[in-house]
Amino acid sequence: MDISNLIDLLYLVSIIVFIIGLKGLSHPETARKGNRVAALGMGMAIVISLFAPETSGSNNYPWIIGAMLIGGGIGFVSSKKVAMTKMPEMVSLFNGLGGACAMLIGIAEFGNLPQGTDMMSGAVLTNIFAMFVGAVSLTGSLVAYGKLNGSLRDNFTLPAPQIINLVSLVGIIALSVMIMTQPELNMALVYALLGLSLFYGIAFVTPIGGGDMPVVISLLNSVTGIGATGAGLIYGNNIMIIGGILVGASGVILTVMMCEAMNRSLVNVLIGNLGASGGGSGSGREEIVKEVNIADLAIQLKYADKVAIVPGYGLAVAQAQHICHEIEAALESEGVEVRYAIHPVAGRMPGHMNVLLAESDVDYDKLLELEPANSSFPSTDVVLVIGANDVVNPSAKDDSASPIYGMPILDVETAKNVVVFKRGMSTGYAGVQNPLFFGDKTKMLFGDAKASLGKLKDEIANA
């Protein structure tokens, strides 16, 4: 067996390891192990590539090792320093970095094309593809990052965004055709294509509202995987091609699942701009909010039979998942059945609440998905809504003027009692008021979620 066949065989082994890791990510109980296994598969691929014939004869090892040390250092520091609430932003940046790699590879390989290369060749097309996809992923991810951390407001958008996007896309196709029909490489056209592609990434993501960010993140993750596939095609590297396809395909599947969870098509997400209008018909009358004190709530919880907890982004911001788990344990010691109701798009990225609760060692069997949770609410004595807003907003069912109309929600209003933990009466990420807060069975507990839950835990112990 020659070295090339051996390298391909080892690549196949690393891909199998990577696929096993991806399979582990499909369940919260095996997600951590799956992440490590997938990282092992990618690590194997990197080491194997260093001994590939096209690498071993070069003098680029200092650059490769230096880049690995820098990238590994950034990843290690990020894993230790980045708070769970900032994880969506970090995912967006990592997506952008992956796109930047594909973009730079595309640009560099244009410069490496041999003199007299046929501009209609597959090599030129692949370079264009990698550069375009990578550029869109880079700037789109940076815009998503800005929206997630609040530096870019949802109402920051371009005039007539759909028209701009369409014109930009037509321009990208036209420039690509022009590059491939030139008698020789025209770098001015390449740079024009690069600039328009970078702009298209901005124009593509800017109109999308913050409420759709989980879908956008999974879509950009898919785009980054496709960019890696393009880079693999440039170098004829099987591991990059297959790895990129796996990431791209899994991103597409997740994007479709997220859209189904919101009862919307991908086209509607990309064009509909959920959260940018912040509208809703509203009742037009003054609503009355009822408050509850912690002592009364502690007694109510202690003597309940069934309690459901609905976590949201506010729980993540307050870093209150651990104290929430302690309250769960305290109630269960009193014979109360406690479950968590998880909406698939709660938080700022896919699976955000699952990851958050897994961090505090909540038993996965206690996590109810949308339909089982809704079936259990009518027999639930108390629902604690902690930092969630849009995913429990009844306007999604009965207000056709609301931008979240049609999105499946957690029907917490069907429970016997609802208590909402909030800092104030601000709207959710979609920018619409929540009629649940004024419901007959709803009471509000204002304040920082972590502080309120800490006081509640003490009251339960003393009640």
Side-chain angles (χ1 to χ4, degrees):
M1 179 183 293
D2 62 28
I3 186 65
S4 296
N5 291 334
L6 178 61
I7 291 295
D8 285 339
L9 178 61
L10 292 175
Y11 275 156
L12 179 61
V13 172
S14 67
I15 278 294
I16 292 173
V17 173
F18 183 64
I19 292 173
I20 293 172
L22 287 181
K23 176 63 177 175
L25 295 176
S26 65
H27 196 288
E29 289 185 345
T30 59
R32 290 184 179 179
K33 181 180 178 181
N35 196 37
R36 296 190 188 100
V37 172
L40 174 63
M42 286 297 98
M44 290 172 57
I46 292 172
V47 173
I48 294 166
S49 67
L50 294 177
F51 296 95
E54 60 268 21
T55 305
S56 57
S58 70
N59 59 352
N60 290 327
Y61 282 106
W63 289 99
I64 295 172
I65 294 173
M68 289 174 61
L69 290 174
I70 294 172
I74 293 173
F76 179 79
V77 172
S78 298
S79 67
K80 299 296 182 182
K81 298 291 186 181
V82 177
M84 182 59 65
T85 53
K86 297 298 181 183
M87 197 61 66
E89 288 97 315
M90 187 178 77
V91 171
S92 293
L93 286 179
F94 282 174
N95 276 339
L97 289 174
C101 289
M103 178 190 73
L104 292 173
I105 287 172
I107 297 170
E109 289 307 308
F110 267 118
N112 291 334
L113 288 175
Q115 191 73 24
T117 297
D118 181 8
M119 296 307 295
M120 294 293 290
S121 66
V124 174
L125 179 60
T126 305
N127 288 354
I128 290 173
F129 175 77
M131 187 177 70
F132 162 67
V133 173
V136 171
S137 176
L138 171 61
T139 53
S141 296
L142 291 177
V143 172
Y145 171 83
K147 291 205 170 196
L148 287 167
N149 73 0
S151 57
L152 287 179
R153 300 184 177 220
D154 270 351
N155 57 11
F156 171 75
T157 185
L158 300 173
Q162 285 79 26
I163 295 176
I164 290 177
N165 283 336
L166 180 60
V167 171
S168 298
L169 193 56
V170 170
I172 287 168
I173 295 172
L175 283 170
S176 301
V177 171
M178 290 174 65
I179 290 171
M180 298 188 70
T181 53
Q182 297 294 305
E184 59 184 20
L185 179 63
N186 186 329
M187 286 304 295
L189 290 176
V190 171
Y191 290 130
L193 176 61
L194 173 63
L196 190 55
S197 299
L198 291 169
F199 173 76
Y200 180 70
I202 297 172
F204 173 68
V205 178
T206 298
I208 302 174
D212 284 328
M213 276 302 114
V215 178
V216 174
I217 288 176
S218 60
L219 179 62
L220 289 172
N221 181 65
S222 175
V223 171
T224 300
I226 294 170
T229 300
L233 290 170
I234 290 174
Y235 292 123
N237 187 296
N238 292 332
I239 192 72
M240 291 179 70
I241 295 171
I242 298 174
I245 290 172
L246 288 173
V247 173
S250 61
V252 169
I253 293 171
L254 181 58
T255 300
V256 171
M257 291 174 63
M258 301 295 285
C259 288
E260 289 178 350
M262 300 171 70
N263 195 29
R264 303 170 71 205
S265 68
L266 180 58
V267 173
N268 183 257
V269 169
L270 298 180
I271 296 177
N273 196 14
L274 171 61
S277 63
S281 60
S283 65
R285 61 184 175 84
E286 183 179 356
E287 303 282 10
I288 299 175
V289 172
K290 300 182 291 295
E291 294 189 50
V292 64
N293 64 61
I294 290 178
D296 290 343
L297 178 57
I299 295 173
Q300 188 178 19
L301 290 172
K302 194 167 184 177
Y303 290 98
D305 292 321
K306 291 178 65 176
V307 171
I309 299 173
V310 178
Y313 184 66
L315 180 73
V317 171
Q319 287 289 285
Q321 65 270 28
H322 299 291
I323 191 71
C324 190
H325 180 43
E326 292 173 12
I327 288 177
E328 168 209 328
L331 291 175
E332 288 188 333
S333 68
E334 300 287 343
V336 181
E337 179 185 335
V338 181
R339 293 291 183 268
Y340 294 82
I342 308 298
H343 194 284
V345 296
R348 296 294 186 268
M349 68 178 183
H352 196 175
M353 295 301 104
N354 301 71
V355 173
L356 193 72
L357 295 174
E359 185 186 25
S360 57
D361 296 323
V362 171
D363 188 348
Y364 178 74
D365 292 334
K366 295 179 181 178
L367 272 57
L368 300 179
E369 296 182 356
L370 186 69
E371 291 184 5
N374 284 340
S375 299
S376 70
F377 285 140
S379 61
T380 301
D381 297 299
V382 185
V383 174
L384 302 179
V385 180
I386 309 174
N389 197 329
D390 298 327
V391 297
V392 294
N393 192 332
S395 296
K397 297 188 299 181
D398 52 31
D399 185 357
S400 60
S402 173
I404 63 172
Y405 181 70
M407 183 180 81
I409 63 165
L410 292 166
D411 299 323
V412 297
E413 74 274 11
T414 63
K416 298 173 185 177
N417 296 279
V418 180
V419 177
V420 179
F421 289 67
K422 272 184 70 68
R423 288 181 178 273
M425 292 299 293
S426 59
T427 61
Y429 215 15
V432 292
Q433 188 54 270
N434 193 339
L436 174 71
F437 302 159
F438 313 105
D440 295 335
K441 296 184 288 184
T442 302
K443 293 182 180 179
M444 307 292 294
L445 183 58
F446 294 111
D448 176 78
K450 187 173 184 179
S452 297
L453 288 171
K455 295 175 183 176
L456 181 59
K457 185 188 80 166
D458 294 338
E459 285 290 341
I460 291 172
N462 298 326

